[in-house]
Amino acid sequence: MSTTERPDSWAITSPRSDRVKRIAALSGRSARRKQGRFRVEGPQAVRSLLQHSAPLVRELYVTADGATAHPDILELADAHAIRPRDVDPSILRAMTRGEEDGAAASMAAPQGVLAVADLPSASLHAVLDTLPDGPLTALVLHGVQDPGNAGTLIRAADASGARAVLATTGTVDLYSPKVVRSATGSLFHLPVVAGIAPEDLSPALHDAGISVLATSGYADHDLFTTELPTRGAWIMGNEAHGLPQEMLDTADLAVRIPLAGDAESLNVAIAATVCLFETLRRR
C-alpha cells in the first residue's frame, strides 16, 4: 500500500510514499530513462555534484546526522538556492533500495546525504568541440560491463587529468547507482558522454585531432618505450573479451603493457590506470 503526499507537503514521513518509491526506482535503467533523472548517494558524490553540476540537481535529502557531519553541503546547496529536505535515516534507506541493487543492498543510510539530478544530455560532438587545443587525453569505455570497473575507470580518468570520458553503446549505464558510487564524485568533474555508436567514435575523434589508442597483449609496441601522440583517447574494452578486432583495426596505435610476473593480464581498470598515468608522466 502506497502513501500519497500532498503536492505542497514538505515532510516525508513514510518509507512507502510515492516519492520514496519513485526515487528507489532510479536503481533501474528504465526508470532513469523514463524520469530523465538519476540518484547520487553519499556526501562526496553529492558535494561534487553541487560544486560542478548544481543546475542538474532537482532534489536534495539530508538526515540530521548528515547535516551535522557535512555543513559544507548545506552551504553549497544554499549558494545555489537548493532547499534540502530533512529526512529520517529510514527514509533514505528506502530510497536506495531498487531492482538493480536488491531490496537489502543498502542496510544503512548513504552517510546521510542523497540527491536526485537530471541526466546530462551532452553529445559527443558538443563535448569534443569544447576541448582545448594542445596536449590532452580522453578515455573511452567500449563494452565495459561491471559497474565497479566503470566507476573506477571514470575516477582514474579524473585523477590522471583526462579531459573527457566517452562510452559506446553496450557499456554499462554510467548513471546507475553502482557506477555513481564507484566514481566517488569524479563523474561530475569532467565531461561524460554515453551511448556513442562505435562506428561514429573514431571519425569524431580524428576530426578533433585526437588519435585512437588501444591496448593488446599481442601488440608489437611496448607502452613504456613507444612514443605516444600528444592528443590521444585510450579505448578500454570488455572485462572478459577485451577490444574486438574491428575496434583494434581502427586504432592509430596499439600497445602492450609489459608484465613481469606470471599474471596473464590486468583488470581493465588497472590497465587503464597504467596507460593514463604513463601518458601523464610523459607530459
Side-chain angles (χ1 to χ4, degrees), residues 146-277:
D146 183 83
N149 279 336
T152 301
L153 285 160
I154 295 169
R155 191 175 182 182
D158 179 22
S160 64
R163 301 306 296 260
V165 173
L166 314 174
T168 60
T169 54
T171 298
V172 65
D173 186 353
L174 300 186
Y175 295 95
S176 73
K178 290 182 181 179
V179 175
V180 177
R181 287 195 296 268
S182 297
T184 58
S186 290
L187 188 64
F188 313 115
H189 296 170
L190 70 174
V192 175
V193 182
I196 301 167
E199 62 271 18
D200 295 339
L201 180 66
S202 292
L205 290 171
H206 288 151
D207 285 346
I210 300 173
S211 299
V212 178
L213 310 177
T215 62
S216 168
Y218 304 101
D220 294 329
H221 302 285
D222 184 315
L223 169 66
F224 300 127
T225 60
T226 300
E227 183 177 353
L228 300 176
T230 58
R231 293 170 63 84
W234 287 104
I235 301 185
M236 295 294 152
N238 178 266
E239 291 86 347
H241 308 294
L243 286 173
Q245 189 60 47
E246 59 267 24
M247 186 60 72
L248 283 170
D249 290 342
T250 67
D252 299 294
L253 174 66
V255 300
R256 69 180 185 281
I257 301 173
L259 304 177
D262 294 328
E264 293 184 358
S265 62
L266 294 174
N267 168 278
V268 64
I270 296 175
T273 301
V274 171
C275 293
L276 289 165
F277 277 89

Side-chain angles (χ1 to χ4, degrees), residues 11-179:
I12 301 175
T13 57
S14 172
R16 296 184 297 276
S17 72
D18 291 340
R19 181 185 296 272
V20 171
K21 289 183 176 181
R22 171 177 57 78
I23 295 172
L26 293 175
S27 290
R29 180 175 235 170
S30 60
R32 291 192 294 274
R33 288 178 174 175
K34 182 177 180 180
Q35 296 184 35
R37 295 180 178 179
F38 69 107
R39 200 170 65 221
V40 183
E41 304 169 16
Q44 187 169 347
V46 171
R47 183 182 294 109
S48 291
L49 174 67
L50 289 168
Q51 288 173 332
H52 299 274
S53 302
L56 296 178
V57 179
R58 289 294 167 263
E59 302 167 47
L60 176 61
Y61 300 93
V62 183
T63 66
D65 287 345
T68 299
H70 308 288
D72 60 314
I73 289 179
L74 300 184
E75 292 171 3
L76 284 168
D78 184 63
H80 294 286
I82 297 168
R83 184 180 175 188
R85 289 178 181 243
D86 300 326
V87 292
D88 185 83
S90 64
I91 299 296
L92 232 54
R93 283 196 296 271
M95 287 178 174
T96 59
R97 297 186 182 121
E99 62 192 59
E100 284 185 4
D101 291 334
S106 183
M107 298 307 295
Q111 297 178 273
V113 184
L114 182 148
V116 175
D118 289 335
L119 287 169
S121 57
S123 69
L124 174 60
H125 290 286
V127 166
L128 293 179
D129 286 345
T130 65
L131 296 180
D133 296 331
L136 67 78
T137 304
L139 178 66
V140 179
L141 281 60
H142 181 68
V144 174
Q145 288 295 298
D146 183 83
N149 279 336
T152 301
L153 285 160
I154 295 169
R155 191 175 182 182
D158 179 22
S160 64
R163 301 306 296 260
V165 173
L166 314 174
T168 60
T169 54
T171 298
V172 65
D173 186 353
L174 300 186
Y175 295 95
S176 73
K178 290 182 181 179
V179 175

